[in-house]
Amino acid sequence: MRRIGRPRVKDRDAARIQRAGKRRGPRPVPLRRAGLAFLFIILALFAIALLPPWVARQTAGLRQEIQEVILPAQALATEIQSALAREVAGSRGFLLTGDRQFLDIVREAQAVEIRSVRALDPLARRLGPGVGAQVDTMERRIERWHALSDSLVAGLIAGERYVAALPEQEARYEAALTSAVRLEWMIEGLLVDRQAAIVAANRRGWIIGGLLVALALVAALDAGWLYRQQRRLTEAVEESRAAALRQARSEAALREAVSAVVAAATTAEVVRAIGARALVATDADGAFVARLDAARGELEVAAAAGSPAPPLEMRIAYRGSLSERVITRGRPEIVASPEAYPPLAELCAECSFLAVPLGGRDRPFGALFVVRRPSRTPFTSDEVERALIFGELATLAFRRLQLLETSEHRRLELQRLLESRDRLTRGLSHDVKNPLGAADGFLQLLEMGVRGPLNSAQREGVGRAREAIREAVRLLDEVLEIARAEAGQLGLTLEPAEIGHIAHSAAEEYRAQAEAKHLDLRVAIPEGLTTIETDAARARRIIGNLLSNAVKYTGDGGRIEIRVTERENGGAPRPGRWIAVAVTDTGPGIPKEKQRWIFEEFTRIGGAGAEPGAGLGLAVSQRLAHALGGAITVESEVGRGSTFTLWLPVEPPTGAAVAEAA
């Protein structure tokens, strides 16, 4: 999994620390005249009065941007990730169970994604061209991901064809989800920058106010006190420089810690990274992660670093714990005296603890604890804010990995189910064909009179029984052919073939049946058709199936036409040169709402009075067409007949072409 983050963070942080270290305090000034002291006091009081509005104006715009733009954009990005997960879960659920309620979940998730992207777009434009470009990238990838999902929801493709395209669909889903995560990280980075700017503005106001007060006091003192006050001011500035240096180092440590957590590839790695990097991000002595076991109502120490820290796998009750308190309240809490929490008191009775919730109220994961020894200063409000930011980003990383792990688990489960079904189909077909062959052989002996002469009625009955057995064997062969095609085990014998000759031969084979129903069977094959490389036997079988259906469903006195043409694009499955074999009949036609189902297994398209059949012919033909690098399309209108067209590429089919056609 690739690490998502802004480039060259360490370089910027190093430069910032270097600039903070080079700050110098002001030099001592000489004594000023007493008359100047009064002017300094007036100017200082005037500046102090103007300072709060100035700071408020500086921070108001940043706070407004956070509330009106950044936080809503962050929520929409999270909602898009959740909708993507629900959509893929719904599609997988439909493929696994066939329950169309899962398609409703897919539609709802797609609606949420579209609505969220539309709401996110104006906010992203306000956040800068980088965020806007990322939203455009995410939208394009979501549209590519929807391309096949929409076909599944609309029923334009079968579940088996959707499964065949799962590798590419998984890649599209991964790309869409990665774009959403990258967008969320960019928004998180903007949020951190704005919050840091607010803190910096408040700090500047405090420093300036202190300077003004100091100047006013200096101006009110006599000349000797002025010099001493100036020295104190110099010491204050030096302390400010050291604080700025510590702040820069702390922020750099926080960025490194967050990057390490986001780069973790598994849930266990995220937990370990949270525990280890929390020490650096919060400048603490010890840190540990208490993971919630909701089933047992306990907390387990899943990661620990530094000292003091409890042993791994230590368990305590969740109810009444500090973890329950911060998770319920949804914000960090400082505990300076841990007597109220015995597990913390046993760890270190005089230490200062900072507890940060992980996971949120709806899906709590646990809590992060950082500890400082009694010899050090307690945690400040700025450090609490940094710890909260670190905890929220760690929670996002954990949720992202949970979504990816859940998706991968479901994909593997679906793959195992499909493989089990294929093995069952192949084994069952093989085991059933053996007894049917034996029965047919025994009936053949009876028909030959080996067991005694048969009268005409008996001979007719034996003939019908043998015909039924042959039909059953043919049906099993078609089922086995479908299983081979779905498993990628359909062998092809590619050789130069004249499709016009194959189509004419197939038409002659069915001419007797057509004449028996008084059908006008016509064949239109132009001269000079390109010879293509294909599996002639498979192509003949497809054309034969299309002719068989046309003869079967066309009423007496109707018309059937076979037309072979060479085309370029023009209704073809994809760009290129094609040989098209169109079989047109004057049958009852197929309603538009049923056309998307006719290539499914065991689907009958005939109406009342049609000859019996298993509904496998078109399903087998479509899979064979895909294996040959082409496809079968249908155009039909109720009451006016149907046209089924077999498309075969002029160029030999390749693996990529077959995958695209499927």
Side-chain angles (χ1 to χ4, degrees):
M1 183 175 300
R2 297 190 303 172
R3 177 176 175 178
I4 301 173
R6 292 179 292 180
R8 302 185 64 83
V9 171
K10 292 185 178 179
D11 294 344
R12 292 201 310 272
D13 289 338
R16 184 176 180 182
I17 293 172
Q18 186 177 10
R19 288 195 301 271
K22 290 182 178 179
R23 295 179 184 172
R24 297 179 180 178
R27 297 178 180 179
V29 297
L31 295 177
R32 295 289 187 262
R33 293 172 56 181
L36 243 105
F38 181 70
L39 179 60
F40 283 159
I41 293 174
I42 294 177
L43 292 177
L45 292 176
F46 183 77
I48 290 173
L50 294 179
L51 184 61
W54 177 72
V55 174
R57 282 197 300 272
Q58 277 194 326
T59 59
L62 295 173
R63 296 182 187 277
Q64 183 177 8
E65 183 182 12
I66 290 175
Q67 294 296 329
E68 296 181 0
V69 181
I70 295 180
L71 291 180
Q74 182 184 35
L76 290 171
T78 303
E79 188 176 22
I80 290 172
Q81 296 180 48
S82 178
L84 284 171
R86 292 198 303 273
E87 182 180 355
V88 76
S91 61
R92 300 301 187 272
F94 171 70
L95 294 175
L96 288 172
T97 64
D99 189 351
R100 300 192 63 79
Q101 292 183 356
F102 284 102
L103 295 183
D104 296 334
I105 297 176
V106 175
R107 295 188 188 97
E108 293 174 2
Q110 290 180 349
V112 170
E113 293 167 16
I114 295 172
R115 184 174 63 253
S116 299
V117 170
R118 289 176 179 173
L120 181 60
D121 187 73
L123 299 178
R125 307 304 172 188
R126 294 175 63 180
L127 292 177
V131 180
Q134 183 62 28
V135 170
D136 295 338
T137 300
M138 179 185 68
E139 187 175 4
R140 290 193 300 270
R141 292 181 176 178
I142 289 176
E143 288 176 355
R144 292 190 69 237
W145 154 248
H146 282 172
L148 201 55
S149 298
D150 290 344
S151 300
L152 180 66
V153 172
L156 297 176
I157 65 171
E160 289 76 9
R161 283 184 289 155
Y162 186 84
V163 169
L166 267 181
E168 181 181 353
Q169 186 69 346
E170 287 294 338
R172 293 183 182 181
Y173 167 67
E174 180 68 21
L177 184 60
T178 300
S179 295
V181 172
R182 187 184 296 274
L183 173 64
E184 189 171 12
W185 167 246
M186 294 174 68
I187 297 173
E188 285 291 343
L190 293 175
L191 176 61
V192 172
D193 290 343
R194 299 305 186 272
Q195 290 174 337
I198 291 174
V199 173
N202 289 328
R203 186 179 296 108
R204 285 195 302 271
W206 178 83
I207 294 174
I208 294 173
L211 288 172
L212 291 174
V213 171
L215 288 174
L217 291 175
V218 168
L221 298 176
D222 57 8
W225 188 255
L226 178 63
Y227 176 74
R228 191 181 305 173
Q229 188 68 16
Q230 178 62 25
R231 290 186 59 185
R232 294 177 181 176
L233 180 60
T234 302
E235 294 174 358
V237 173
E238 288 297 327
E239 183 179 350
S240 175
R241 181 196 63 80
L245 183 60
R246 290 193 299 270
Q247 175 72 13
R249 288 175 177 170
S250 178
E251 291 179 359
L254 176 61
R255 289 191 180 95
E256 286 188 18
V258 170
S259 298
V261 170
V262 173
T266 65
T267 303
E269 289 181 6
V270 169
V271 174
R272 289 195 296 270
I274 291 173
R277 296 292 179 168
L279 290 176
V280 181
T282 60
D283 191 22
D285 297 313
F288 60 94
V289 177
R291 186 169 184 173
L292 174 61
D293 186 349
R296 301 176 62 174
E298 293 180 343
L299 292 165
E300 179 187 7
V301 178
S307 178
L312 292 177
E313 300 183 359
M314 174 183 172
R315 287 182 172 268
I316 61 174
Y318 177 65
R319 185 172 297 277
S321 65
L322 181 58
S323 299
E324 181 186 30
R325 179 180 175 86
V326 297
I327 289 173
T328 303
R329 298 176 65 184
R331 61 177 182 269
E333 184 168 336
I334 299 176
V335 178
S337 301
E339 293 85 0
Y341 303 99
L344 300 183
E346 293 176 4
L347 183 63
C348 182
E350 299 179 355
C351 290
S352 175
F353 290 84
L354 172 59
V356 181
L358 298 176
R361 300 179 185 177
D362 53 343
R363 295 180 61 185
F365 173 68
L368 166 66
F369 291 85
V370 289
V371 192
R372 278 185 180 170
R373 294 185 181 276
S375 58
R376 301 187 58 190
T377 58
F379 294 100
T380 64
S381 59
D382 289 345
E383 291 169 338
V384 172
E385 289 296 326
R386 284 198 297 274
L388 178 60
I389 292 171
F390 178 75
E392 290 176 349
L393 293 177
T395 297
L396 290 174
F398 173 72
R399 287 183 175 176
R400 174 177 61 87
L401 287 176
Q402 276 189 326
L403 291 173
L404 293 177
E405 289 175 357
T406 301
S407 176
E408 178 65 14
H409 173 73
R410 291 180 176 174
R411 185 188 69 80
L412 293 176
E413 183 179 356
L414 176 61
Q415 184 177 354
R416 286 194 298 270
L417 288 174
L418 292 176
E419 290 175 353
S420 298
R421 190 200 67 174
D422 293 339
R423 287 194 299 269
L424 177 62
T425 301
R426 291 192 296 269
L428 182 62
S429 299
H430 181 269
D431 293 341
V432 172
K433 285 175 67 176
N434 288 336
L436 287 176
D440 184 58
F442 183 74
L443 290 173
Q444 184 179 10
L445 293 176
L446 292 178
E447 192 175 31
M448 294 172 59
V450 174
R451 299 299 179 92
L454 301 177
N455 57 37
S456 58
Q458 292 172 336
R459 187 178 299 277
E460 182 181 357
V462 169
R464 290 181 178 178
R466 292 193 65 192
E467 184 177 352
I469 290 174
R470 286 192 293 270
E471 179 66 19
V473 171
R474 185 190 62 80
L475 177 61
L476 288 173
D477 287 337
E478 290 182 345
V479 171
L480 188 58
E481 193 88 333
I482 291 176
R484 288 197 189 101
E486 292 178 347
Q489 299 176 353
L490 191 63
L492 297 177
T493 303
L494 299 181
E495 56 186 5
E498 296 181 1
I499 300 303
H501 176 73
I502 294 174
H504 185 274
S505 176
E508 293 304 317
E509 182 179 343
Y510 284 90
R511 186 170 297 279
Q513 297 181 27
E515 291 177 353
K517 295 182 65 175
H518 305 289
L519 302 178
D520 182 11
L521 177 59
R522 301 179 182 179
V523 181
I525 302 174
E527 296 182 358
L529 279 176
T530 301
T531 300
I532 66 174
E533 284 194 12
T534 188
D535 191 319
R538 306 285 188 184
R540 181 184 180 87
R541 181 173 180 181
I542 297 171
I543 298 172
N545 282 341
L546 298 181
L547 278 171
S548 175
N549 283 340
V551 172
K552 182 186 302 184
Y553 295 115
T554 302
D556 292 355
R559 178 170 49 84
I560 299 173
E561 181 179 7
I562 305 173
R563 182 177 295 275
V564 183
T565 56
E566 186 170 347
R567 305 186 195 178
E568 187 166 354
N569 303 329
R574 60 183 183 276
R577 296 174 57 204
W578 299 84
I579 297 294
V581 182
V583 179
T584 303
D585 61 58
T586 57
I590 306 169
K592 230 170 188 25
E593 64 274 10
K594 293 184 179 180
Q595 292 180 15
R596 58 183 180 180
W597 305 110
I598 60 176
F599 294 106
E600 300 294 326
E601 296 91 339
F602 307 106
T603 299
R604 297 290 311 285
I605 60 174
E611 297 182 23
L616 284 174
L618 287 177
V620 173
S621 298
Q622 185 67 284
R623 281 160 177 76
L624 292 177
H626 287 164
L628 296 176
I632 299 175
T633 59
V634 60
E635 297 178 5
S636 183
E637 185 177 344
V638 175
R640 302 189 65 178
S642 307
T643 297
F644 286 83
T645 304
L646 167 63
W647 299 87
L648 294 174
V650 173
E651 300 296 329
T654 62
V658 174
E660 182 180 352

